[in-house]
Every structure is written in structure tokens, then in C-alpha cells.
Amino acid sequence: IPGFFSIMDFNDDVSAESSTEFPDRLSLMEVRLQAQEDEITLLKSSLADALRKLRLHDQQIPLLKQQLIAGKRFVKGIIRVRRNSEKSRDSQDKTKQRLSKKAASSTNLLTRSPILVATVNIRVICIFMLCILPFILLTGQSIKMFIRGRPITMYIPSNILNYEELRMDLPSQKLELDWVYGYRGRDCRANLYLLPSGEAVYFIACVVVLYHISNQTQRHYQKHTDCVRCLAIHPDKVRVASGQTAGVDKDGKPLQPIVHIWDSKTLVTLQQIGLGTFERGVGAVAFSSSDAGTFLCVIDDSNEHMLSVWDWNKNIKHTEVKNTNEAVLAVDFSPTDTNNIISCGKSHVYFWTMSAGTLTKKQGIFGKYKKPKFVLCFVFSLTGDVLTGDSEGNILTWGKSAADIKTLGKGAKETFQIMKQTRAHEGSVFTMCVLQGGAILSGGGKDRKIIRWSADLAPERECEIPEKFGAVRTIADVDGEELLVGTTRNAILRGTFSDGFVAIVQGHVDEMWGLATHHTQNIFLTCGNDRQVCVWNAEDHKLDWCTTLEESGLCADFSPNGAVVSVGLSTGRWVVLDLQTKEVVSDLTDGNEQLSVMRYSPDGSFLAVGSHDNFIYIYNVTEGGRRYTRFGKCTGHSSFITHLDWSKDGKYVMSNSGDYEILYWDVASGCKLLRNRFESKDRKWASYTCVLGFHVMGVWLEGSDGTDINALCRSHSESMVAVADDFCKVHLFQYPCPKPKAPSYKYEGHGSHVTNVRFTHNDSHLLSMGGKDTCILQWRVKGAGTGDHKEHLASSSSVCSSSSSPENGT
């Protein structure tokens, strides 16, 4: 639809501008909004909790009245003993004597009034119960954890005799990055290159990936601390420059952006450029080529988009100048003269000249030609011309013209003007590439076409990439015939004009939350706000199949028989998909709010559906997971459901909610809430994904606000627990982990909050999923006894008190 595609192109262009102009203000507003939402949630949950307790007390009053009236003599006996003991104290304590007399008179009054007996005795018992609670804490049967000032009581299992002497160690296993799923083509340009080694170089999140196309293997450069934004290849085709955004630390303080220069053969960092110089992030980088790559040009994401030139080997900044307040999308050196630099972006193309350590710029004059909203890309032709691609779909040929002294007078200077306009694409020209023989390739947005042009811009061949992959973002030449194409829907395609293109790298294009692993096979499922449900093969590192739903998928779980998978959506609806046919075999709705967790019981006979409407819906599952009938509803949470797990016998459910509550349910007895949580302290759980619980209390850092941990997952061996936090990190703890300040291994790679983690069926790998970075990381589990450890709690006189975590598992 023409209108749709023009809007899509416009949004893509505008996103390049907005994403670089106001990230700090937007980030601050998001932080404030989240803080306010957290406060509102806490106030609502506190009010709901108080109302629930009042209702509980009202329900217990008739029972207490019966018990108290029957035990009236016992209570009077207690009061008489208390009165006699008070009389025997020091006679000078007149206050106590008066209190004793009042107590005696109250006892006589109680004897005469049965109604007052019941009422006062209820108060006596309530005070008596409140006095007992601290006693339970003192005996070590429970421990309290505070999140945002709210106490959360955890009951200590019976097999722990001395909680204070428990020793928290690092897990015996470690993680090693095995595979990276995804590619960042949605909002980045010029980020796909082919090395002489046969490896395609690209990035997503904080990782630069080197993917060997023929061998189908990956290597990873992992030294970046936040999202990689740009990439450049040295003229020697070995060294690589990659620039990152600034990001923030866990306290919200901005970190410094930087450019890494590294060896693609050894993955060794050779230099770090610009620490403390760049602001917000690095938007574009380029090596000089006429002098064997001595210089590096960098444009940052500050308001002025500072342009700086570095002798990168010596880490010396030669010059720096303010560029423009508008978005800058590309920069490069002239292939024949290091002193000439070109940059382009929103409504501009600048021609820079470097002389005596200073940079001067001349703006390209559009003259009689329509000035485009964005100049998106440019290349240098073999004839020396500069060719730009813009948002109007044109390729403009630029040349230098002599000074117009007649019109502008003696002070006039030479200018850069348009020599030729070539209509290239319908919609934007997103990328251009020069082939060895001088031919030029261009990639379109709206029309999704790749066109081959002769050196003088005569069209020769063209093809169109499939619509499901989006527009052409960037092109890399393989051998003059075969091409690699990066797309706006985060895919990398491989193919030719004659044979077409197939995807070799695919990924999600929006925030992801749903992650599930198969119970017997090395496959896993992901879903998110892009409405895609993707099933991946963790062994072959490929996408098995993908389908698009009508709504966002937020949670999922495979049935134990492995035949179907259930997916919870953003509207209260949930669907069950057949893994073989990919068809929807069941479609149901619970409430009208988003679903946050789906979990089958161990034998597959029940399915629990956790919703943001505060309820857990329980379904009977029959016909191999294809038929579902409502069994009951768990009612009692005062906030939305966040996580839940089944007991090993399939009779009970443990759940967490948004107000940091832990509740237990007897499903077999009709979804009954277990009021006495103490009785569940020794129960064995088939899985452990609840972020709140005694066995995982140690994963919470001091001062956590309750949203710092998005997900966790216990291994099937019950020897380790992986944690996904809000600060782009994946942690690996030993399991159980019931003490504060437990040590862990910490792993980086994600550039956004980590939304979910899951172990594969045999614990050979861990999968972690980023939110906004749309990245899936597959970690190999390494270490002694993987899959062999059972639950163990070591006791020792020396308690591990260090809260520091070895970074990157070293």
C-alpha cells in the first residue's frame, strides 16, 4: 500500500534523527515514569493487602468466638495468675498494682457478660499472636527479606539446622558464549562486511559477530560494555573499528562511549579511542584509505555531532570540530586524499577539508534540485565522483565547480554542486556499494529492490527481496556476483540476482519476553512485541519456523509431551500451537489483561495461566495437549502475577506477584489458597522460576527495588540458577542460594534489560533474551559435574561475605 510504505520510510528516516538528539532527556523521563509507576503499584498493593487481611480477620472472628467462649475458663486462669504475680512484686510499684486491680475488675466484668468475653478475648488472643511472631523469627524458622521497605517472610526448610553457618560458594559451572541470534539492521547503517577469511562481520547488542558463512561457525568480539552502534573495516581487511553508545550503570549514571580497534584474527583489542571525549555515543566511524589506514574519523551523538580525526595507532586526536545539530548518518574519507572527508545526514551533505590541524566544511548546494529530507548514504565512484542516495529515491552525482565570481564577487569560493540526478528507487535509497569493476549497487526502502548500475549509472540488473525481510539496509559484495544483504527487519540474506536470496541470519524486531525450552529436544521458542513466534534449533543454530500472531506474545511453555506449545498474549488471549503442523489447535481467553506466565504441570495434565488481572487460571489438559477445560481459578493475589511453578507431584503451585508476594495453592483441592505458608517450606518444586523464595533469596542485591531481577531459572540438575537482571547482565549462582551477598559469575553481552533465561533440557546450554536489543544469546555450560548435581547446602564455620562477582566468568 503506497501510503503505508511512505509512512514506514518516513518513520525510519525520522527515527535516525530522533534517536540521536534526545536520548538523555528521554532516558530521564523513562526513569521518572518508572519510579512513579513503581510507587503507584506499591501503594495499590499495600491497600489491597490490608483489605485482604481485614477480610481474613472477619472470616476468622466466628471461629475465634467459638474457641474463646469454650476456653473462657483458661483465659480467666491466665489473668488470675498474672494478677497474683503482680501483687507479689515490689509494693512501691503502685502503678502496676493499679493495673492489676483494673485487670481483676475486667475479669469480673467478663464473667458477667458473654458478649464482652468473646470480644475482649479475641483482642487478648490477637495480642498473644503478635507476641509469638517475633519468637518464631528468633527460633530461626523464618527469615525476613525487605524490598522497597516491604517485609517478605521466607520459611527455612527443615533440613537446614543452622542457617547462619550456611556457606555460599560460586557454582562449579561457568558460561561461555556459544551463539548469537539476531542482527541490528532496524536502526543502524553500514554494519555488514565480508572479510577475506570468509567471515561476515556485523553486530547486535554489545557483541560484534564474525560468522563464517561456509563453515557456519561464529566467533565473537565481546569487549564492548554497551550497544555497538557502528562499524568500519581497515584497508588491510583485518583490523576493525567498532563504536558503542554511552549507556548507564545500575545507578543510572552515564557511562563513557568509546571506539574499540581490534584484530579480527586474534580478537585482541589494539586500541581504545576517545574515552572521555565522546558524548552519548558513537554514531559513525571510518578509516582513511589513501595512507594505509593511519587515521580514523569519528562522529559522536552529542548535540553538535562532533567530528574528530584520530591517529588511532598513537591514540592522538588530530582535530575536532562541531558538525551540525541535525542527525548525521554517515562519514568517510576520500579514497584518494586523506585530507578530504564527507559526511551526510538530515537535509545536508558536507565536504570537509583538513589542513594544518583544522577542518573546514563546505555544504553541498542542491540548487534547482529538490532538497531531500535525508541524505542517507554516499559512495566514491572509481571516476572520483561522489554519489549520494537520499530519501527522495534519487542518486545524486556531485562535482566541484569553480567560484562564481560574476555572481558572488571576488570573495567567492568553489562549491560542490549536483552534476546529475538519477531516479533510482521508489522511496528511500538506504545504501550503495561500489563493486571492483566500477559497477554500483543500490538498495531501496519502499520498493525493497537491489539494482546494479554501470559506472555511468545506467541500470543493468535488479531484484526484489521478500517482503517479510523488510527493506534493504546495507549490501556487502562477496565475489562480484554473490551478495550479502542486511535488512530493516534484522535479517541477513545471501544470494544473487539470478537465484534470489535466502536468510542466513534472522531475529526479532521488537522487545522480547517469552522464552521456553523443549523438555527433550534442543529447541526453544521466543515471542515478543513484534507478534512473531519463533522456534529455534539450539544445536544447528537455525530458525526452524516462524509464525505471526494477531497480538504480542509475552510468555510460553512447551507441554511435557513435546507435541504442543502454549503462548500467552497481551490481551488475555492464549493459543496452543502444534509443533509439527504449526497450526493453532486451541484458542482461549482469560480476562482482558496481558498474560505473564504459562506453565504446564510435570505430567502435563494441568496448565496454569498467570495474568495481570491478579488471577491464576487452571486448566485440565487432555488429548495430548489439544483440549483444555477450565478446572479452577486461584484468587488471592493483590497484584499481577509475575512467576509461578508447580510442585513435583503436580498438586501445588507457588506464585509471585507484582507486590512481592509469595503465595501457595493447593490445586488438587480446588485451587485453594494455603493460608499457612509454613507448611510449604519443605515442598519440592518441579521447576524454579519464581524470583522470590527462600532458595533464591541470595540472588537479590542489597537495595534492590523489586524490579531489578526480571527472571531466573534453576537448572534441571538443581545445582545452579541463572538470573536475568535489569542491568544487561546474566548471573550464574549456585543452587540453592538462600543467603544475601552470594557470589556469582557475571556475564555481559546484552545491551538492554535481560527479560528471560532458560536452560536447555539437558543443561548443556543456557539461553538469555534481551528486551529492546532484540538479541538472543546462547551460552555453553562448562564445568565439572554438569547435570549431575542435586540440591546441596554446605555448612561451614566460615561464611562467604563477599558480594563481588567475577566478571565474565573469570
Side-chain angles (χ1 to χ4, degrees):
I1 304 171
F4 171 79
F5 283 111
S6 62
I7 291 172
M8 184 175 70
D9 291 337
F10 174 76
N11 288 339
D12 185 85
D13 295 337
V14 172
S15 68
E17 174 190 8
S18 61
S19 63
T20 57
E21 289 187 357
F22 306 109
D24 52 346
R25 186 180 302 174
L26 180 61
S27 177
L28 181 60
M29 292 176 67
E30 288 178 344
V31 170
R32 289 179 178 175
L33 179 61
Q34 185 61 51
Q36 291 176 354
E37 289 178 347
D38 291 346
E39 292 297 333
I40 292 172
T41 300
L42 186 60
L43 289 172
K44 286 182 177 179
S45 63
S46 298
L47 177 60
D49 191 39
L51 292 173
R52 191 181 70 253
K53 289 180 178 179
L54 286 173
R55 288 195 298 268
L56 179 61
H57 291 160
D58 290 341
Q59 295 171 4
Q60 292 177 340
I61 283 176
L63 179 62
L64 287 173
K65 284 181 178 180
Q66 294 177 4
Q67 294 175 345
L68 293 174
I69 292 173
K72 181 172 63 176
R73 294 180 181 178
F74 172 74
V75 175
K76 290 198 299 182
I78 291 178
I79 298 176
R80 290 194 189 99
V81 170
R82 181 181 175 186
R83 182 185 58 196
N84 293 335
S85 63
E86 287 174 349
K87 287 182 179 180
S88 64
R89 291 176 185 173
D90 193 335
S91 59
Q92 294 181 357
D93 194 351
K94 296 181 180 179
T95 303
K96 289 186 177 181
Q97 287 182 359
R98 283 195 294 270
L99 289 173
S100 176
K101 291 178 181 179
K102 288 182 179 180
S105 62
S106 297
T107 303
N108 294 330
L109 179 61
L110 289 174
T111 307
R112 293 191 298 268
S113 175
I115 297 177
L116 285 174
V117 167
T119 305
V120 176
N121 282 345
I122 289 172
R123 293 175 180 173
V124 171
I125 295 299
C126 289
I127 295 171
F128 183 67
M129 292 171 64
L130 291 173
C131 293
I132 290 177
L133 288 177
F135 173 77
I136 294 175
L137 289 174
L138 292 176
T139 61
Q141 295 184 33
S142 68
I143 185 168
K144 279 192 176 181
M145 170 185 174
F146 290 85
I147 294 183
R148 295 178 66 87
R150 176 167 184 164
I152 304 171
T153 302
M154 317 273 188
Y155 290 98
I156 302 174
S158 303
N159 63 334
I160 299 177
L161 302 179
N162 193 331
Y163 175 81
E164 292 297 326
E165 291 187 0
L166 289 179
R167 179 178 174 180
M168 294 293 97
D169 294 319
L170 287 166
S172 59
Q173 302 89 349
K174 293 183 179 181
L175 302 179
E176 178 182 79
L177 186 59
D178 176 49
W179 201 263
V180 177
Y181 300 87
Y183 156 75
R184 185 170 179 173
R186 179 183 52 176
D187 59 352
C188 290
R189 293 167 167 78
N191 61 349
L192 174 63
Y193 299 93
L194 186 70
L195 299 178
S197 63
E199 293 172 305
V201 185
Y202 58 94
F203 59 77
I204 185 171
C206 304
V207 183
V208 183
V209 181
L210 296 93
Y211 173 56
H212 198 289
I213 298 173
S214 299
N215 298 341
Q216 296 184 10
T217 57
Q218 281 187 357
R219 296 187 298 138
H220 312 101
Y221 181 75
Q222 298 177 253
K223 302 300 182 182
H224 284 284
T225 57
D226 213 289
C227 283
V228 183
R229 286 284 310 281
C230 53
L231 201 63
I233 306 298
H234 192 273
D236 64 9
K237 304 296 183 182
V238 174
R239 287 171 284 192
V240 179
S242 48
Q244 71 172 64
T245 190
V248 294
D249 63 14
K250 68 176 184 177
D251 298 319
K253 297 179 181 178
L255 301 173
Q256 294 178 328
I258 194 172
V259 175
H260 289 248
I261 300 172
W262 45 282
D263 189 307
S264 63
K265 292 182 177 179
T266 63
L267 301 181
V268 172
T269 303
L270 305 175
Q271 194 64 267
Q272 294 182 344
I273 298 294
L275 189 64
T277 301
F278 308 131
E279 292 185 26
R280 297 179 184 167
V282 178
V285 291
F287 282 105
S288 59
S289 54
S290 63
D291 57 1
T294 302
F295 293 99
L296 182 76
C297 183
V298 183
I299 293 181
D300 73 5
D301 286 334
S302 63
N303 289 337
E304 296 83 14
H305 296 96
M306 301 297 293
L307 186 154
S308 56
V309 177
W310 300 74
D311 184 334
W312 67 265
N313 203 33
K314 299 177 182 178
N315 203 352
I316 296 174
K317 181 169 64 176
H318 269 238
T319 184
E320 183 179 44
V321 67
K322 292 181 179 180
N323 190 342
T324 174
N325 288 332
E326 303 288 3
V328 180
L329 303 178
V331 67
D332 204 357
F333 289 90
S334 166
T336 58
D337 188 354
T338 300
N339 292 320
N340 291 331
I341 300 171
I342 296 180
S343 65
C344 68
K346 184 179 180 182
S347 302
H348 76 269
V349 54
Y350 292 148
F351 298 83
W352 301 84
T353 301
M354 185 167 57
S355 177
T358 60
L359 279 165
T360 56
K361 75 176 177 182
K362 293 180 180 178
Q363 183 167 352
I365 305 300
F366 289 92
K368 64 179 182 180
Y369 298 97
K370 181 181 178 181
K371 189 175 184 178
K373 186 173 181 62
F374 285 92
V375 179
L376 298 166
C377 58
F378 67 88
V379 293
F380 297 91
S381 70
L382 296 187
T383 60
D385 292 329
V386 176
L387 309 177
T388 62
D390 59 43
S391 55
E392 297 295 322
N394 297 320
I395 295 177
L396 304 178
T397 304
W398 297 80
K400 187 184 296 185
S401 63
D404 188 358
I405 299 176
K406 183 182 292 186
T407 304
L408 301 176
K410 293 183 179 180
K413 299 179 181 180
E414 62 183 11
T415 59
F416 290 88
Q417 295 183 346
I418 299 171
M419 313 301 292
K420 179 183 178 182
Q421 175 177 282
T422 304
R423 182 63 179 172
H425 291 273
E426 185 180 356
S428 299
V429 180
F430 278 158
T431 184
M432 290 192 293
C433 171
V434 180
L435 303 179
Q436 286 186 352
I440 296 166
L441 299 175
S442 65
K446 180 180 178 179
D447 60 13
R448 307 189 314 280
K449 287 183 179 180
I450 301 172
I451 303 177
R452 178 184 172 117
W453 308 82
S454 65
D456 58 355
L457 291 180
E460 294 179 343
R461 304 183 69 180
E462 70 174 52
C463 67
E464 182 178 315
I465 67 172
E467 183 179 357
K468 65 180 180 179
F469 296 126
V472 179
R473 176 61 77 195
T474 187
I475 302 172
D477 177 32
V478 176
D479 55 11
E481 181 66 23
E482 187 177 7
L483 304 174
L484 296 179
V485 180
T487 77
T488 57
R489 288 190 64 82
N490 294 348
I492 297 178
L493 312 181
R494 178 189 184 188
T496 63
F497 281 97
S498 56
D499 297 332
F501 291 85
V502 296
I504 59 174
V505 175
Q506 290 179 262
H508 284 270
V509 295
D510 206 341
E511 188 172 18
M512 301 179 293
W513 284 93
L515 174 64
T517 52
H518 198 276
H519 292 272
T520 58
Q521 302 177 34
N522 287 320
I523 63 174
F524 64 95
L525 178 144
T526 58
C527 56
N529 290 342
D530 59 3
R531 299 185 291 113
Q532 291 189 105
V533 174
C534 299
V535 176
W536 309 82
N537 190 311
E539 191 171 342
D540 297 335
H541 310 122
K542 291 182 178 179
L543 178 66
D544 276 354
W545 57 269
C546 179
T547 187
T548 302
L549 302 175
E550 297 176 1
E551 301 151 19
S552 300
L554 302 178
C555 52
D557 195 30
F558 285 94
S559 66
N561 66 9
V564 299
V565 62
S566 61
V567 181
L569 308 181
S570 58
T571 58
R573 181 182 167 207
W574 54 277
V575 296
V576 181
L577 302 173
D578 187 294
L579 289 179
Q580 295 298 322
T581 65
K582 309 170 192 175
E583 295 179 351
V584 175
V585 297
S586 187
D587 188 335
L588 294 140
T589 300
D590 287 306
N592 56 6
E593 297 192 40
Q594 71 182 56
L595 304 180
S596 49
V597 56
M598 311 286 289
R599 189 80 67 238
Y600 284 95
S601 62
D603 62 358
S605 60
F606 288 106
L607 173 67
V609 180
S611 172
H612 269 229
D613 64 8
N614 304 0
F615 301 132
I616 301 173
Y617 301 90
I618 306 296
Y619 281 83
N620 266 322
V621 183
T622 55
E623 298 181 12
R626 288 168 171 76
R627 181 175 175 81
Y628 296 80
T629 54
R630 173 79 73 83
F631 176 80
K633 183 169 69 172
C634 300
T635 304
H637 272 294
S638 53
S639 185
F640 57 90
I641 311 302
T642 58
H643 308 83
L644 66 83
D645 293 288
W646 285 89
S647 61
K648 288 187 175 181
D649 59 13
K651 296 180 179 179
Y652 301 92
V653 164
M654 168 176 60
S655 58
N656 292 169
S657 58
D659 56 352
Y660 326 126
E661 193 172 43
I662 309 170
L663 294 183
Y664 300 91
W665 312 88
D666 186 345
V667 174
S669 298
C671 303
K672 178 183 176 182
L673 174 63
L674 299 177
R675 305 287 182 183
N676 188 354
R677 292 186 289 126
F678 178 79
E679 295 177 355
S680 298
K681 63 186 177 66
D682 294 325
R683 192 159 284 125
K684 303 299 182 183
W685 301 102
S687 62
Y688 213 118
T689 60
C690 286
V691 298
L692 295 173
F694 175 81
H695 292 84
V696 295
M697 185 172 58
V699 307
W700 290 88
L701 298 177
E702 188 174 352
S704 295
D705 73 348
T707 62
D708 292 345
I709 294 178
N710 296 313
L712 62 78
C713 181
R714 183 190 67 190
S715 65
H716 299 88
S717 65
E718 302 186 17
S719 63
M720 53 185 164
V721 60
V723 174
D725 74 14
D726 233 15
F727 311 110
C728 315
K729 304 294 188 298
V730 173
H731 299 261
L732 192 67
F733 292 85
Q734 80 164 25
Y735 180 87
C737 184
K739 295 199 71 175
K741 299 183 179 180
S744 71
Y745 292 116
K746 181 171 63 177
Y747 300 92
E748 299 178 340
H750 285 289
S752 173
H753 53 292
V754 186
T755 57
N756 220 330
V757 284
R758 285 292 183 273
F759 285 97
T760 55
H761 70 100
N762 58 359
D763 291 341
S764 62
H765 291 84
L766 175 76
L767 295 151
S768 62
M769 191 163 64
K772 294 292 187 181
D773 66 19
T774 68
C775 177
I776 306 166
L777 299 182
Q778 180 172 310
W779 307 86
R780 182 183 296 109
V781 179
K782 301 180 66 177
T786 301
D788 297 330
H789 292 294
K790 297 298 180 183
E791 181 173 324
H792 174 68
L793 285 166
S795 296
S796 172
S797 58
S798 60
V799 179
C800 179
S801 60
S802 173
S803 60
S804 61
S805 302
E807 282 204 21
N808 298 324
T810 57

